[in-house]
Amino acid sequence: MADAENPLLGETTCGSLLQKLQEIWDEVGESDEERDKMLLQIEQECLDVYKRKVEQAANSRAQLLQVLSDAKLELSTLVSALGDKSSVGIPEKGSETIKEQLAAIAPALEQLWKQKEERVKEFSDVRSQIQKICGEIAGNASEQTGALAVDESDLSLKKLDEYQVKLKELQKEKSDRLSKVLEYVSTVHDLCAVLGMDFFSTITEVHPSLGDSTGVQSKSISNDTLSRLAKTVSALNEDKKQRLHKLQELATQLIDLWNLMDTPEEERRLFNHVTCNSSALVDKVTVPGALALDLIEQAEVEVDRLDKLKSSRMKEIALKRQVELEKIFASVHIEIDPEAAREKIMALIDSGNVEPTELLADMDNQIMKAKEEALSRKEILDRVEKWMSACEEESWLEDYNRDENRYNASRGAHLNLKRAEKARILVNKIPGMVDTLVAKTRAWEEDRGVSFMYDGVPLLAMLDEYAMLRQEREEEKRRLKGQKKVGEQQNMEQETAFGSRLSPARSSGPKKVVGPRGNGGANGTPSRRLSLNANQNSSRSAGKDGKRDSMKLAAPANIVTVSKDDAASHVLRTDSVPASP
């Protein structure tokens, strides 16, 4: 009875409790109906307890399944983000309980979390460097602050490699840009040195970091900096070019003034730093201070001083200009009256009616026009020289052909033979030379409306006379050839009549004397020397005069008196002369 009252002392079970309840009911005398009702109530309460426990167990299982599902999802997400399944031991699917599966997944998750943290740090470092370099290139590096957000959905090694490849490209671009910046800075330094400018102030105007000596990596490499550096270098190069041009103009003026006034060498040496670059190219001028403004101003002052000195030495300078003008005319065989020109210059200076600068400018203009005239005559004069040289060879060949001992084995015979071969080729070209020269001369005269005078004689008249002389010579050759044939025929008839051969007879034609030709020369060489004025011929070298001596022939009187208007009417009669091939 005591055990029933204190059921906790023994083992308490549902059966023992039900038995105890039955005993109480018997003692109390409960009816069966009440007992059934009570038992039904007890059974319902037990059922409710079981239901609650089952629900609690089901909820616990659902939570565990959700945790397992979340763990699997997280595992899958991490594996997908990291993109490397082989680096973590992922549990295989099996028949383990939920808790066993969770226990198996936990180590893999922990390892993947560590890998994710490391990978995120790597991504962050790489992207920070990329952002920094991009900021330096864009010129807003100071605005790039704060950590970059990393896209954790793709943390694969492939993606990381892409960022690293991009970083390497940017690093190379940064290195190239830095090299370009340093190259520009070096160029600016050299240009400032040559121009005598302050390098530091010039370079810091482009960007303050370029003048900073703390380190190379701190230099700005932005697009704007490179563009401004390029513009600065271009502007300095243009300034250098203009200063060099100005300096070369001043150097030319100095040299001209020195030469004009025979300035001593000691005085010229004072401006060697100016004249040393008178013909230098822009890229070759690298000496510091060579194009400084004070140097150019110094040269300008000296030119002004010499200009004033030049005015006081007007006569001497004007006469030098006149001599230069006379040399130009003499070189192209244009006759002038130098004495009258000099007297006129002296009279103008003495009268004081003309400004010295105006007179020199007028003479400079005359010299310029004379040079233009000389240039326009150059082609014709060159052809005249070739023609006269060919005529000299023609004259020598005539003398050589009349020499009966030309084939003897004498000293120098082989040299004369070679010269004769070349001379024959050249002589055959003379008609073509003359035709071309006539055409060129007529074109020149038509273009300018004046006759082409050669040492005071119309060139077309000289060519016309040469053509007539050459035609006469050809006719003389044909006549002599005919006489020779007649003589040979008579000899053959005599041999037939007398039955014996007579000794060979000499040519019955008149014997020609080797030497200077009279009245234009039988060989058709020009009757006039290119220069008829002894004063103008003095400028030629002795060797060249010696070469032309054989060309000096007496001109017919009618050639000297040919007027400019009649010169163009002369017709070159060379129909019987074979043209050059």
Side-chain angles (χ1 to χ4, degrees):
M1 193 67 170
D3 293 338
E5 292 178 357
N6 190 10
L8 298 175
L9 297 176
E11 183 179 354
T12 302
T13 63
C14 288
S16 63
L17 291 174
L18 185 58
Q19 185 180 358
K20 185 67 175 176
L21 184 60
Q22 193 73 29
E23 291 175 358
I24 293 172
W25 282 343
D26 288 341
E27 185 179 351
V28 173
E30 288 287 347
S31 62
D32 292 337
E33 184 180 353
E34 288 295 329
R35 290 185 180 189
D36 291 339
K37 185 178 179 181
M38 187 66 68
L39 288 173
L40 183 61
Q41 183 180 357
I42 291 171
E43 186 177 344
Q44 184 63 42
E45 290 178 356
C46 288
L47 184 61
D48 291 340
V49 171
Y50 274 112
K51 284 183 178 180
R52 286 196 304 273
K53 293 299 181 182
V54 170
E55 288 178 0
Q56 291 178 1
N59 290 335
S60 178
R61 182 186 66 181
Q63 291 177 0
L64 289 175
L65 286 173
Q66 184 63 42
V67 172
L68 179 61
S69 177
D70 293 342
K72 288 182 178 180
L73 180 60
E74 187 174 4
L75 180 67
S76 176
T77 302
L78 289 172
V79 170
S80 176
L82 295 173
D84 190 5
K85 296 181 181 180
S86 61
S87 62
V88 178
I90 301 175
E92 299 292 336
K93 294 181 180 180
S95 59
E96 294 89 352
T97 63
I98 297 174
K99 290 184 177 181
E100 288 175 346
Q101 293 182 40
L102 284 173
I105 288 176
L109 279 175
E110 185 177 358
Q111 187 175 355
L112 288 174
W113 270 111
K114 290 181 180 179
Q115 288 187 9
K116 179 181 178 181
E117 291 176 359
E118 294 174 356
R119 196 69 57 82
V120 168
K121 186 177 182 302
E122 291 177 356
F123 269 84
S124 180
D125 292 343
V126 172
R127 292 196 61 193
S128 296
Q129 295 181 59
I130 291 174
Q131 183 187 37
K132 181 182 178 182
I133 296 176
C134 289
E136 291 175 353
I137 293 174
N140 56 358
S142 59
E143 300 176 7
Q144 304 292 332
T145 58
L148 283 174
V150 178
D151 182 13
E152 298 183 1
S153 64
D154 188 0
L155 299 174
S156 62
L157 291 175
K158 180 181 179 181
K159 189 67 175 180
L160 182 61
D161 288 341
E162 291 178 1
Y163 278 120
Q164 288 175 342
V165 169
K166 184 177 180 180
L167 176 60
K168 288 181 180 178
E169 291 176 354
L170 288 173
Q171 287 174 339
K172 184 179 183 303
E173 183 178 356
K174 178 180 178 180
S175 177
D176 294 341
R177 284 171 172 262
L178 188 58
S179 298
K180 190 68 176 176
V181 167
L182 294 177
E183 181 181 348
Y184 275 136
V185 170
S186 176
T187 303
V188 171
H189 179 272
D190 294 341
L191 288 171
C192 288
V194 174
L195 298 173
M197 299 172 61
D198 183 14
F199 164 72
F200 184 79
S201 61
T202 302
I203 204 65
T204 51
E205 285 181 4
V206 178
H207 197 276
S209 66
L210 300 179
D212 189 3
S213 59
T214 56
V216 174
Q217 296 300 324
S218 63
K219 306 292 184 186
S220 174
I221 59 171
S222 66
N223 292 329
D224 181 64
T225 299
L226 285 171
S227 175
R228 295 181 67 182
L229 277 172
K231 291 179 180 178
T232 301
V233 170
S234 177
L236 290 175
N237 275 324
E238 184 63 27
D239 194 11
K240 179 181 179 182
K241 185 188 297 184
Q242 292 177 359
R243 289 193 190 186
L244 179 61
H245 180 68
K246 178 66 175 178
L247 192 69
Q248 287 177 339
E249 287 183 345
L250 292 171
T252 302
Q253 294 176 31
L254 282 174
I255 293 172
D256 291 343
L257 290 170
W258 288 339
N259 294 336
L260 203 62
M261 296 184 287
D262 295 327
T263 304
E265 190 63 29
E266 295 77 10
E267 187 176 342
R268 299 188 184 197
R269 287 199 194 99
L270 298 176
F271 289 88
N272 279 345
H273 55 290
V274 175
T275 57
C276 65
N277 293 319
S278 59
S279 60
L281 299 176
V282 176
D283 296 337
K284 300 299 181 182
V285 181
T286 57
V287 178
L291 300 177
L293 287 176
D294 56 348
L295 186 144
I296 296 176
E297 292 174 358
Q298 181 185 5
E300 288 177 339
V301 170
E302 180 64 13
V303 168
D304 291 340
R305 186 186 71 82
L306 291 176
D307 273 335
K308 294 177 181 177
L309 182 62
K310 179 180 69 174
S311 300
S312 63
R313 299 173 60 183
M314 190 61 195
K315 288 186 178 180
E316 181 183 351
I317 296 173
L319 288 177
K320 286 185 177 180
R321 288 282 199 281
Q322 179 61 26
V323 169
E324 182 180 357
L325 187 63
E326 292 171 4
K327 287 181 178 179
I328 295 173
F329 284 134
S331 66
V332 292
H333 302 278
I334 297 177
E335 280 193 344
I336 59 172
D337 188 352
E339 293 300 328
R342 295 183 185 189
E343 290 175 1
K344 182 179 179 180
I345 291 172
M346 294 297 105
L348 283 173
I349 296 174
D350 293 337
S351 67
N353 295 328
V354 61
E355 289 291 332
T357 54
E358 292 180 1
L359 178 59
L360 290 179
D362 180 66
M363 296 193 71
D364 288 337
N365 187 42
Q366 292 182 40
I367 291 172
M368 182 182 68
K369 290 181 178 179
K371 289 180 178 179
E372 292 176 356
E373 179 74 9
L375 186 62
S376 71
R377 295 167 61 92
K378 184 178 183 304
E379 182 181 3
I380 295 177
L381 293 177
D382 290 343
R383 292 182 181 276
V384 169
E385 290 294 323
K386 292 179 181 179
W387 167 57
M388 297 193 70
S389 296
C391 290
E392 290 179 3
E393 288 300 298
E394 184 182 31
S395 176
W396 178 88
L397 185 61
E398 288 291 331
D399 295 340
Y400 176 77
N401 289 336
R402 283 192 295 270
D403 185 5
E404 297 178 355
N405 298 322
R406 62 183 179 276
Y407 296 120
N408 294 345
S410 60
R411 184 176 181 181
H414 66 289
L415 297 178
N416 289 333
L417 184 60
K418 289 182 179 180
R419 179 180 176 182
E421 292 176 358
K422 293 180 180 180
R424 290 186 186 96
I425 296 173
L426 185 60
V427 167
N428 289 333
K429 296 180 180 180
I430 291 180
M433 291 182 182
V434 174
D435 292 342
T436 302
L437 190 54
V438 169
K440 293 285 184 182
T441 305
R442 284 176 177 169
W444 187 94
E445 292 181 348
E446 290 175 1
D447 185 47
R448 288 161 179 78
V450 295
S451 297
F452 190 101
M453 305 301 291
Y454 201 95
D455 291 339
V457 179
L459 179 58
L460 286 178
M462 295 171 59
L463 295 171
D464 190 18
E465 180 192 18
Y466 171 79
M468 289 188 295
L469 293 175
R470 187 178 179 87
Q471 186 176 3
E472 291 174 2
R473 186 193 63 179
E474 293 297 328
E475 291 175 356
E476 178 68 12
K477 284 184 178 179
R478 286 194 293 272
R479 186 182 65 78
L480 293 176
K481 188 175 181 180
Q483 290 179 356
K484 184 177 180 180
K485 286 184 178 180
V486 171
E488 290 177 352
Q489 186 176 2
Q490 291 177 354
N491 289 337
M492 291 295 294
E493 292 175 356
Q494 290 178 2
E495 289 179 3
T496 302
F498 295 101
S500 63
R501 183 178 298 274
L502 297 177
S503 61
R506 299 284 182 183
S507 175
S508 59
K511 184 175 182 180
K512 294 188 177 182
V513 180
V514 177
R517 276 72 174 163
N519 195 22
N523 65 337
T525 53
S527 63
R528 302 249 339 154
R529 181 70 176 92
L530 288 182
S531 177
L532 302 181
N533 191 310
N535 293 331
Q536 294 177 1
N537 279 338
S538 63
S539 62
R540 291 182 170 271
S541 63
K544 193 167 184 179
D545 286 340
K547 180 181 177 183
R548 301 300 190 195
D549 283 344
S550 61
M551 297 294 295
K552 294 181 180 178
L553 304 172
N558 63 331
I559 296 300
V560 178
T561 58
V562 173
S563 65
K564 293 183 180 179
D565 296 331
D566 295 336
S569 65
H570 284 277
V571 180
L572 184 64
R573 293 184 290 274
T574 57
D575 298 339
S576 61
V577 181
S580 60

